Amino acid sequence: MYFEGIIIGICTFIIIGIFHPIVIKGEYYIGKKIWPIFLILGIISLILSLFMNNIIISALIGVLGFTLLWSIHEIIEQEERVKKGWFPENPNKKH
């Protein structure tokens, strides 16, 4: 039996789950201007995934890269969720 698919699936689930609070906290403390960090780290992750010899590690770094890129969209959406009152606004954050 081959467990690579299950391992990649479980780790993907964990990576995506970890990024939900990262996006929420990033928007709360910094705002959507944090998006370039997600972009740079996403591109670096995708490039690194091309050079990994292990298929599981390559796939997981690729998943991380695309999760970072998707987080750019989510950070912008999170700002809208805060404006709608769905999430608390940081009173100490400069606008």
Side-chain angles (χ1 to χ4, degrees):
M1 291 199 301
Y2 300 98
F3 291 97
E4 290 87 351
I6 298 294
I7 292 168
I8 292 169
I10 290 169
C11 292
T12 299
F13 185 74
I14 291 168
I15 290 169
I16 292 169
I18 288 170
F19 272 84
H20 281 285
I22 289 173
V23 165
I24 292 167
K25 296 292 184 188
E27 193 286 326
Y28 185 82
Y29 290 108
I30 300 170
K32 71 178 179 184
K33 63 184 174 187
I34 194 173
W35 75 265
I37 295 171
F38 288 113
L39 178 65
I40 291 166
L41 293 176
I43 291 170
I44 289 170
S45 296
L46 293 175
I47 292 169
L48 283 176
S49 76
L50 297 172
F51 296 99
M52 295 293 122
N53 291 328
N54 183 300
I55 189 70
I56 294 175
I57 293 173
S58 176
L60 292 176
I61 294 174
V63 166
L64 175 64
F66 280 104
T67 302
L68 284 158
L69 294 178
W70 182 256
S71 294
I72 297 169
H73 167 73
E74 286 299 317
I75 200 87
I76 295 166
E77 290 292 314
Q78 182 64 19
E79 185 180 69
E80 294 301 316
R81 292 179 201 121
V82 170
K83 287 179 184 175
K84 292 178 181 177
W86 297 353
F87 285 86
E89 183 176 2
N90 183 350
N92 300 322
K93 187 172 71 176
K94 297 177 183 175
H95 297 289

